[in-house]
Amino acid sequence: MSENQINPSSPASEITVADPVRPQINQDVGQGRGVYISTYGCQMNVNDTERMYSLLEMANFSVVKEPEEATLIIINACSIREKPVHKVYSEVGRYRKLKEKNPMLKIGVGGCVGQQEKDKLIKNQPMIDFVFGTDNIDALPNLVAQTFESSDKVINAKFEHRAPYHVETLVRNPGVSTFVNITKGCDNFCTFCIVPFTRGREKSRPLSHVLMDVRSLVKRGVKEVTLLGQNVNSYESEDGADFADLLKKVAMETDIQRIRYTTSHPKDFNEKLMHVMAEHQDKVCEYVHLPAQSGNSRILRQMNRGYTREEYLDKIALMKKYIPNLVLSTDIIVGFPGETEEEFQDTVSLVKEVGFETMFAFMYSPRPFTKAASFPDHVAEEVKNRRLNELFDSHEKQAFDLAKKYDGQVLNVLVEQINEQGKAQGRSTQNKLVYFLGSESLIGKTVPVKINFASPNVLRGELVQ
Ligand code: SAH
Ligand code: SF4
Ligand code: F3S
């Protein structure tokens, strides 16, 4: 069977899907000049930066490690909260001297900030030469060519609403573990979140394209893929396959050794997916990031999350039935508009009740275009700050207790690299970072490591010979 055909057992197999599109590139825009990209934000942005570097290398730019060596600097920025947006302006400010020294130097801003701010960026900071949006990455080499040809400012931040999501994963040196986008955009419109405005409407890649990518990454030595999307559970291929179908096929029809995925939305995480995870535990890691955001049902309704506290807890209980050694992490927002002290305590108690091994918690930050920004009763900064610290304190104690269970256990670690201290570094299936004494020949191998030091974020151990 060719890689492009859908297996006859898949839903609606009569649908044929076009090949992924590779962007047309003018091959000598770069003329060997250096490009430096600084990246903020989520895995989506990290993966987009990799795509930008790949495209710019095809256009004959050479990737450099320091902005001082570059003739092209791109800031791939995140706008999920207000602070990261300020970082863009301060970073551009730091490049003033470089621009004075090298008048050829061009500075561009992309990512979610590029999409959100568009021409405002150039009005506020004249040192910026070009701005591009999240849907315009493939046009980057042409955009850059325009900026090098004239001193006019260039802005390209239009959503490609009609274009299907038929891209090919572009990774320069994929290493042991790599990301594969399966969806882009988000249609959930949680009232606090800017992502639907910066990433546009949700689109899924055809299942056959994802399989094709994973197979070709395996050929390049990749052992682990992380399937990426803002809400992977609402994945829907053109042939009708859902996320559980996709996960099953990646597990069964490719030689990838490990599969992870992120991010899951609690309202869409269904029993079919739990079943597939349980059935394919040899490949699908027993780790799920399931952002709760709050432990109070009124706040969850105000957030437009589509589940109550009880529904969230019931789902967790069901997941643990299917996958008894499941490891969970979450995202929490404290100080959402109108959140009372009691409502915040519901979040503290939910976090305790679930026993998340890792928690990412944030103070609510009002974002442009979002509904919650105009809600009444915004919580004072000092109250948000106090709640955040209280939540972290409460979680930290529990996280240390939860980590103790790893002490003395033998975990299967996929070795990714030898770090600067000469230690082998890898991840266990539970997504724990593990360090141990080991040689370079172990990179890419999965080896048993006996843990003798366990903390919430890092485990240390010894190779079991
Ligand atoms: N798609 C993911 C979230 C992506 S954004 C999901 O639905 O869970 C990553 C995290 O940033 C969110 O889970 C949320 O906890 C946080 N976040 C998003 N908007 C925020 C805001 N306005 N203020 C504070 N934190 C926010
Ligand atoms: Fe934002 Fe909600 Fe979409 Fe996540 S699901 S990206 S929080 S709108
Ligand atoms: Fe930030 Fe955009 Fe990701 S706002 S979190 S980079 S989707």
Side-chain angles (χ1 to χ4, degrees):
M1 191 175 74
S2 102
E3 294 192 327
N4 236 353
Q5 281 170 332
I6 304 273
N7 184 305
S9 66
S10 69
S13 59
E14 67 278 5
I15 291 179
T16 38
V17 179
D19 281 344
V21 180
R22 188 172 263 222
Q24 296 273 315
I25 289 175
N26 170 348
Q27 296 191 338
D28 203 23
V29 179
Q31 297 171 21
R33 290 180 282 222
V35 54
Y36 174 85
I37 305 180
S38 69
T39 311
Y40 300 89
C42 61
Q43 289 99 332
M44 220 72 66
N45 257 14
V46 172
N47 209 25
D48 286 350
T49 289
E50 188 49 45
R51 189 170 187 84
M52 291 176 203
Y53 272 137
S54 303
L55 294 167
L56 291 168
E57 266 192 356
M58 289 178 209
N60 197 18
F61 278 92
S62 58
V63 175
V64 294
K65 289 214 169 74
E66 304 296 334
E68 289 72 17
E69 302 163 37
T71 307
L72 173 64
I73 295 178
I74 294 171
I75 304 172
N76 186 14
C78 166
S79 58
I80 201 80
R81 286 168 289 276
E82 203 178 356
K83 268 193 193 144
V85 181
H86 294 319
K87 279 192 192 155
V88 173
Y89 289 105
S90 56
E91 181 163 348
V92 176
R94 288 203 300 277
Y95 297 142
R96 184 172 303 278
K97 286 234 165 70
L98 296 184
K99 229 174 168 160
E100 283 163 9
K101 257 199 247 160
N102 176 8
M104 275 286 283
L105 174 65
K106 299 288 179 185
I107 300 177
V109 176
C112 290
V113 175
Q115 190 66 53
Q116 175 198 317
E117 300 282 290
K118 302 183 184 74
D119 52 333
K120 260 200 257 162
L121 281 165
I122 285 171
K123 278 187 200 131
N124 293 340
Q125 176 47 282
M127 286 216 320
I128 298 172
D129 299 289
F130 68 99
V131 175
F132 61 108
T134 50
D135 252 5
N136 315 105
I137 294 171
D138 287 1
L140 185 60
N142 293 339
L143 214 94
V144 168
Q146 284 177 50
T147 37
F148 277 112
E149 273 159 22
S150 86
S151 56
D152 291 348
K153 308 281 180 183
V154 186
I155 299 164
N156 188 356
K158 277 203 203 92
F159 282 126
E160 299 291 342
H161 285 302
R162 280 197 224 124
Y165 189 26
H166 282 190
V167 296
E168 167 195 21
T169 295
L170 295 176
V171 197
R172 291 164 306 145
N173 307 304
V176 173
S177 176
T178 196
F179 297 119
V180 173
N181 280 90
I182 62 164
T183 65
K184 69 170 177 178
C186 183
D187 290 346
N188 281 320
F189 291 92
C190 301
T191 55
F192 53 80
C193 184
I194 197 167
V195 171
F197 304 95
T198 60
R199 295 267 165 183
R201 296 292 53 76
E202 187 179 296
K203 283 181 193 170
S204 297
R205 291 179 64 198
L207 187 144
S208 57
H209 290 185
V210 177
L211 291 177
M212 212 187 304
D213 266 354
V214 175
R215 288 185 190 126
S216 93
L217 289 165
V218 169
K219 280 192 196 135
R220 295 172 71 191
V222 171
K223 311 288 181 204
E224 174 184 281
V225 286
T226 303
L227 306 174
L228 264 193
Q230 283 300 345
N231 176 9
V232 289
N233 312 104
S234 57
Y235 173 85
E236 194 183 352
S237 179
E238 289 168 25
D239 57 13
D242 66 10
F243 182 62
D245 297 327
L246 171 80
L247 198 62
K248 192 180 174 95
K249 284 205 178 263
V250 176
M252 290 183 68
E253 297 180 17
T254 76
D255 292 325
I256 196 74
Q257 289 176 12
R258 277 187 182 181
I259 311 164
R260 302 184 187 280
Y261 60 89
T262 198
T263 298
S264 296
H265 195 299
K267 79 175 162 55
D268 299 318
F269 201 110
N270 57 24
E271 207 167 341
K272 180 176 171 188
L273 176 56
M274 299 176 204
H275 187 74
V276 169
M277 283 186 78
E279 210 177 29
H280 295 283
Q281 279 192 56
D282 56 324
K283 287 194 169 184
V284 181
C285 293
E286 69 269 36
Y287 163 78
V288 173
H289 181 62
L290 198 67
Q293 312 298 0
S294 165
N296 175 272
S297 296
R298 187 190 77 85
I299 294 291
L300 287 168
R301 197 170 55 245
Q302 294 289 100
M303 287 176 161
N304 191 33
R305 288 292 288 178
Y307 53 89
T308 61
R309 174 193 177 95
E310 291 69 32
E311 284 163 350
Y312 184 88
L313 289 172
D314 286 350
K315 214 158 258 193
I316 296 270
L318 195 59
M319 287 162 82
K320 286 183 178 170
K321 260 198 199 152
Y322 275 93
I323 310 138
N325 39 11
L326 182 72
V327 169
L328 289 155
S329 65
T330 200
D331 289 347
I332 298 288
I333 296 177
V334 302
F336 184 79
E339 184 189 67
T340 64
E341 202 53 40
E342 292 75 43
E343 289 168 336
F344 163 66
Q345 290 304 331
D346 284 344
T347 299
V348 178
S349 78
L350 177 115
V351 168
K352 266 199 201 130
E353 193 169 333
V354 176
F356 297 106
E357 292 199 14
T358 313
M359 177 189 75
F360 303 89
F362 314 95
M363 291 194 282
Y364 168 75
S365 167
R367 307 307 299 125
F369 321 119
T370 61
K371 276 198 178 158
S374 55
F375 283 179
D377 303 327
H378 278 253
V379 176
E381 285 303 297
E382 61 270 21
V383 176
K384 286 189 214 171
N385 208 346
R386 203 242 314 127
R387 287 182 189 168
L388 187 68
N389 288 331
E390 188 180 327
L391 182 64
F392 275 134
D393 283 349
S394 152
H395 176 257
E396 199 185 356
K397 287 189 202 98
Q398 192 186 19
F400 270 97
D401 284 343
L402 288 169
K404 278 187 200 146
K405 71 167 181 258
Y406 294 110
D407 215 348
Q409 271 193 33
V410 176
L411 302 180
N412 287 328
V413 177
L414 172 58
V415 183
E416 292 178 12
Q417 57 170 309
I418 304 297
N419 70 9
E420 282 161 12
Q421 288 81 42
K423 289 273 165 64
Q425 175 185 325
R427 281 184 188 270
S428 70
T429 49
Q430 300 87 349
N431 203 30
K432 295 283 165 193
L433 197 56
V434 182
Y435 295 108
F436 64 99
L437 213 57
S439 66
E440 230 164 85
S441 63
L442 296 180
I443 295 176
K445 298 210 168 88
T446 300
V447 294
V449 177
K450 184 164 185 188
I451 304 304
N452 54 28
F453 169 85
S455 73
N457 297 322
V458 172
L459 307 177
R460 293 179 204 284
E462 277 172 13
L463 187 64
V464 179
Q465 295 296 343

